[in-house]
Amino acid sequence: MPYYIQRLYNTCRASFSPNGPVSDEALEKVREKLEKIKPSDVGLEQEAQLVRNWPGALHERNGRLQSLPPIKYLHLHECDSFSIGIFCMPPSSIIPLHNHPGMTVLSKLIYGSMYVNSYDWLDFPRPDDPTEARPAKLVRDTEVTAPSPTTILYPTSGGNIHCFKAITPCAIFDILAPPYSSEDGRHCTYFRKSPRRDLPGDLESDGVKIPEVTWLEEYQPPDNFVIRRGLYKGPVIRT
């Protein structure tokens, strides 16, 4: 029988087109497969074992925090229809708020703990200036510990704009359908909460009051935000 990661890939290949999932049923099949993925299926059992014995706080040397390794991205596959990869995050590292334009994304935390913060845009006209703040609604603001259910975000719902902050070392298995592509208008943009104080906390749409609005604006992440390519040590996917 093929390795489990091969079976997940085969399901993705049958379920996604360059326009995204071919049907809700197809997407559900991918979710069911991803739900059962384990660190040992992708060569990360050793890293997961270290987390199980994680002491909690960062150790200090000479009164200073140890420097952390960078976030690593393990590339498993990419084609016009979907990409498969794993983000391995050291403790306290952050992937800032970023979007997934026109994309459906399945995410599964396969080991460790992290905070997840996600938003969706409110349905208001976009400002002419793309750097202007836009109103969004909070979807998730929670702590997640593996094993946890697979989450799905959609082009306009489910928390399409999200950020991660690692509590312990952790790994997020991501399937993007379709993948990022600047040529097709799907480039990754980073956001932050607007520091402006003159923006309203409530809005109204069609006579309905929308409370607790969050205003997000585009920004360039700091120079120390780096994602490096890591070495995938799991079974090879046969395409």
Side-chain angles (χ1 to χ4, degrees):
M1 181 176 281
Y3 288 112
Y4 194 82
I5 190 64
Q6 181 69 47
R7 284 180 275 158
L8 174 60
Y9 163 81
N10 293 344
T11 304
C12 288
R13 189 176 60 182
S15 302
F16 297 129
S17 76
N19 296 316
V22 297
S23 68
D24 291 343
E25 293 76 18
L27 182 62
E28 176 59 19
K29 287 180 181 177
V30 177
R31 188 200 66 78
E32 288 175 356
K33 273 280 188 290
L34 182 53
E35 195 63 43
K36 297 174 183 174
I37 200 91
K38 301 187 299 295
S40 56
D41 294 319
V42 287
L44 291 173
E45 179 55 36
Q46 191 173 351
E47 289 81 352
Q49 188 62 45
L50 288 172
V51 174
R52 294 183 191 111
N53 303 317
W54 185 247
L58 285 174
H59 294 295
E60 295 191 5
R61 283 185 188 159
N62 301 325
R64 299 177 63 183
L65 287 174
Q66 289 184 30
S67 60
L68 292 170
I71 298 168
K72 289 184 180 177
Y73 178 72
L74 311 183
H75 173 82
L76 277 70
H77 174 77
E78 182 168 332
C79 60
D80 289 343
S81 298
F82 63 96
S83 66
I84 302 175
I86 304 169
F87 289 93
C88 296
M89 300 177 65
S92 299
S93 63
I94 296 173
I95 297 179
L97 274 174
H98 60 282
N99 65 349
H100 308 82
M103 299 153 68
T104 300
V105 180
L106 297 94
S107 293
K108 171 81 172 174
L109 184 66
I110 55 175
Y111 67 75
S113 297
M114 67 178 182
Y115 293 113
V116 180
N117 188 242
S118 67
Y119 299 86
D120 283 321
W121 295 121
L122 289 171
D123 191 15
F124 284 86
R126 286 191 177 200
D128 294 331
D129 181 354
T131 63
E132 282 284 312
R134 290 178 62 190
K137 61 181 178 183
L138 181 67
V139 176
R140 294 183 80 200
D141 186 12
T142 188
E143 181 179 326
V144 182
T145 298
S148 61
T150 297
T151 60
I152 304 178
L153 59 86
Y154 302 89
T156 58
S157 65
N160 187 278
I161 308 152
H162 65 193
C163 74
F164 301 133
K165 180 178 181 181
I167 300 170
T168 69
C170 61
I172 308 140
F173 192 111
D174 261 359
I175 301 173
L176 279 56
Y180 286 112
S181 168
S182 295
E183 293 176 5
D184 298 308
R186 296 189 304 273
H187 53 269
C188 184
T189 304
Y190 291 93
F191 298 90
R192 66 180 176 187
K193 290 183 181 181
S194 175
R196 286 177 54 184
R197 297 283 179 227
D198 58 333
L199 298 168
D202 301 329
L203 290 175
E204 194 170 289
S205 177
D206 297 327
V208 178
K209 186 179 178 182
I210 304 170
E212 298 181 19
V213 171
T214 301
W215 292 84
L216 303 179
E217 64 182 23
E218 292 185 19
Y219 97 119
Q220 194 63 34
D223 291 341
N224 63 358
F225 171 61
V226 177
I227 297 179
R228 295 223 169 97
R229 193 69 165 261
L231 179 64
Y232 171 63
K233 300 175 183 176
V236 174
I237 293 174
R238 302 192 182 279
T239 59

